[in-house]
Amino acid sequence: MKNIVKSPEEDADASSPFSRLPDEIILQIVNKLIDLKALCFCYLVSKQLSSIVLQVDTISFTSSVIDPNIPDKNTISDVAPSRPRPTEVSSFFGESFLSAKGFLNKFKGVKSLYIELPSVGHRAIDNRCLFKWKVKFGKKSVSFIFLSPNSICDKDGFYLNGNGDAEEDVELTSDLIKKKFAISIWCMEDVMAWYIMFLHLLDNLPMLESVSITDSGRRGRFSLNGEKLSEVKQWWLHPPLEPRKELLGIPNTVSKCYIPVLKLPVSGYMMKGIFCALMESKNLDGEIDGLLNSEDGFDDKEEAAYTEAMKEILEKHRGLMD
């Protein structure tokens, strides 16, 4: 009788404690890990575990701020070496992010995905600068609003963040307005890169049901789920004869305004020294209303105040925008 010689990898699999557990139990365990890097470590343990790891349905990934000009060695890059990517995606995320994205593409059954990317702070923006943004994408359309107050205080006059000096609260210098406008452009560029990255992920993650992408500073969030995600899948994965790039909406109108003081009737908060920028596609056809829906909920009262302020400006002060 011929002896069957096992490879070292097969011997390691057989001696692993996991080999005594049913695959279903192991999958329940690794499904609770969620973190992509932790899943990567598990993937490298054995052939048995690697095949189970790729069946998880929920993944979270946080990309650190890395200088893309400096080689970045990490575990994930050993599993999925990075390949050339579109410049819109790889402009500042570095090799760590690109290799993680390559590893992520292996998870064909993932349903929920959360990604946290470097904040615009990587561009040496003062972290004390207050701002948040919201975005809505559609087929051949995009709307993006950026709001940056100099300070926020509650109805009792307590400053939640920012500058508490009453004189400096109200007045913004022309240089500061230009700086905030530049930040709004940078944020929009980042969000467009996120969206392009998300669309390319759809090519490899057919089971995806929910996706949320945010920045490390929690300045804004792009998320899609349910029916809206299904609609995007339909027009992106089954496009007409026109090139895919023609399906993307690019902001082609920009308007901005400055409001010294804005009182928010619902929350009772007051914002001072507000700079607001609105970037839209010309063919938006009234979709701006959906930009500020609250279906995702709010992380905190401050985020709710920003959303209320955006609504107030769009409904009552849009005439100030030029």
Side-chain angles (χ1 to χ4, degrees):
M1 183 176 178
K2 186 177 180 180
N3 291 328
I4 299 176
V5 179
K6 293 184 177 182
S7 67
E9 291 82 1
E10 291 173 323
D11 284 335
D13 282 357
S15 62
S16 170
F18 282 102
S19 64
R20 306 187 189 99
L21 294 174
D23 288 357
E24 294 79 5
I25 300 299
I26 300 176
L27 181 57
Q28 290 182 31
I29 295 172
V30 297
N31 244 331
K32 296 183 181 296
L33 294 178
I34 300 178
D35 179 68
L36 184 64
K37 192 167 186 177
L39 292 171
C40 181
F41 282 117
C42 294
Y43 179 87
L44 295 172
V45 170
S46 67
K47 287 184 176 180
Q48 178 199 17
L49 198 52
S50 66
S51 64
I52 297 174
V53 163
L54 296 181
Q55 299 177 46
V56 302
D57 58 16
T58 302
I59 293 178
S60 173
F61 169 62
T62 300
S63 177
S64 57
V65 179
I66 293 176
D67 185 341
N69 299 313
I70 300 176
D72 174 41
K73 297 296 183 181
N74 58 65
T75 305
I76 296 179
S77 63
D78 295 334
V79 177
S82 63
R83 299 185 298 276
R85 305 285 179 179
T87 55
E88 295 91 342
V89 174
S90 59
S91 59
F92 54 80
F93 296 134
E95 289 298 314
S96 174
F97 169 78
L98 296 180
S99 60
K101 183 175 179 292
F103 182 47
L104 179 61
N105 287 335
K106 295 177 179 286
F107 293 82
K108 304 302 181 184
V110 67
K111 295 180 180 180
S112 298
L113 179 62
Y114 175 84
I115 300 177
E116 182 179 304
L117 298 173
S119 170
V120 289
H122 71 279
R123 292 193 173 100
I125 295 173
D126 189 341
N127 287 330
R128 293 174 297 178
C129 180
L130 302 179
F131 64 89
K132 286 187 184 291
W133 52 261
K134 286 187 178 292
V135 66
K136 179 183 178 181
F137 288 99
K139 184 177 179 180
K140 295 186 179 182
S141 68
V142 60
S143 56
F144 175 89
I145 185 169
F146 172 93
L147 186 68
S148 179
N150 203 35
S151 67
I152 308 173
C153 62
D154 62 18
K155 58 185 178 181
D156 297 319
F158 177 75
Y159 283 83
L160 303 182
N161 213 333
N163 180 9
D165 188 339
E167 292 299 324
E168 295 184 9
D169 276 341
V170 179
E171 298 298 331
L172 288 182
T173 64
S174 59
D175 287 343
L176 186 53
I177 290 178
K178 290 179 181 179
K179 178 182 177 181
K180 292 193 174 189
F181 181 57
I183 295 174
S184 71
I185 297 294
W186 290 340
C187 288
M188 184 65 221
E189 290 174 347
D190 290 353
V191 173
M192 290 301 298
W194 295 4
Y195 191 56
I196 293 171
M197 175 193 69
F198 156 71
L199 292 174
H200 285 288
L201 284 174
L202 286 180
D203 291 329
N204 298 287
L205 305 177
M207 305 301 291
L208 197 61
E209 298 177 355
S210 174
V211 62
S212 180
I213 306 176
T214 186
D215 67 278
S216 56
R218 299 296 194 276
R219 306 288 196 169
R221 177 176 54 201
F222 160 64
S223 60
L224 278 175
N225 54 64
E227 185 177 337
K228 290 185 178 180
L229 181 54
S230 297
E231 291 176 358
V232 173
K233 281 185 177 181
Q234 180 64 32
W235 63 259
W236 179 253
L237 299 178
H238 307 285
L241 296 178
E242 60 186 322
R244 268 187 166 184
K245 64 180 181 179
E246 300 297 331
L247 299 175
L248 298 175
I250 305 298
N252 46 28
T253 63
V254 179
S255 53
K256 56 188 184 296
C257 69
Y258 166 68
I259 300 176
V261 179
L262 182 65
K263 296 181 179 180
L264 306 178
V266 177
S267 63
Y269 288 1
M270 181 168 61
M271 292 185 175
K272 298 181 180 180
I274 300 170
F275 171 82
C276 181
L278 179 65
M279 306 176 198
E280 306 171 89
S281 301
K282 284 185 178 179
N283 59 342
L284 196 57
D285 295 331
E287 291 185 8
I288 193 69
D289 293 339
L291 174 64
L292 300 176
N293 60 44
S294 57
E295 62 183 18
D296 293 329
F298 304 112
D299 289 340
D300 50 41
K301 292 181 179 180
E302 184 177 329
E303 183 180 349
Y306 271 93
T307 298
E308 184 185 354
M310 292 174 181
K311 288 182 177 179
E312 283 285 306
I313 292 173
L314 291 177
E315 292 175 0
K316 301 178 182 179
H317 301 279
R318 195 162 182 176
L320 298 175
M321 290 189 164
D322 55 20

